[in-house]
Amino acid sequence: MGERGQRKSLIGTVVGNRMNKTAVILVERLISHAIYNKYVRRRAKYLAHDAGDICGIGDKVRIVECRPLSKRKRWQVVDIIEKSQAA
């Protein structure tokens, strides 16, 4: 059998956790504009599987891609890098 390839990994901030076992992660990245050579901020929201419901709003987390778990969930929370100070 062939080995599984390297999975994509992203770091983002939790902006929603109201769903059961699901967290909404906002990932910001900087890209260089092709013509103007200026850095532009791009944002994307991902739904990630949070099995233990441990993510809180404002936490910085690492997510990795996985098999489709539902219509929009294709990522899962691996670890919490930094807990939010607001409680």
Side-chain angles (χ1 to χ4, degrees):
M1 287 270 176
E3 290 292 320
R4 184 189 301 263
Q6 190 70 18
R7 294 182 176 192
K8 291 178 188 168
S9 172
L10 298 172
I11 295 175
T13 307
V14 178
V15 293
N17 62 354
R18 286 187 175 185
M19 292 172 277
N20 190 22
K21 296 185 180 179
T22 304
V24 182
I25 314 296
L26 179 72
V27 176
E28 280 192 347
R29 59 193 177 94
L30 290 174
I31 62 160
S32 178
H33 195 280
I35 297 173
Y36 300 114
N37 294 323
K38 178 180 178 179
Y39 281 101
V40 182
R41 192 178 311 270
R42 295 286 184 215
R43 295 173 155 203
K45 284 184 182 178
Y46 297 96
L47 294 186
H49 184 65
D50 178 20
D53 278 330
I54 55 174
C55 290
I57 293 178
D59 292 353
K60 194 171 185 182
V61 296
R62 175 178 285 111
I63 57 175
V64 295
E65 65 179 351
C66 64
R67 65 183 177 84
L69 298 172
S70 68
K71 182 178 178 180
R72 290 185 54 206
K73 259 200 324 195
R74 275 97 173 101
W75 297 82
Q76 64 184 6
V77 176
V78 177
D79 60 341
I80 297 176
I81 299 170
E82 182 181 325
K83 288 294 276 183
S84 171
Q85 298 300 322

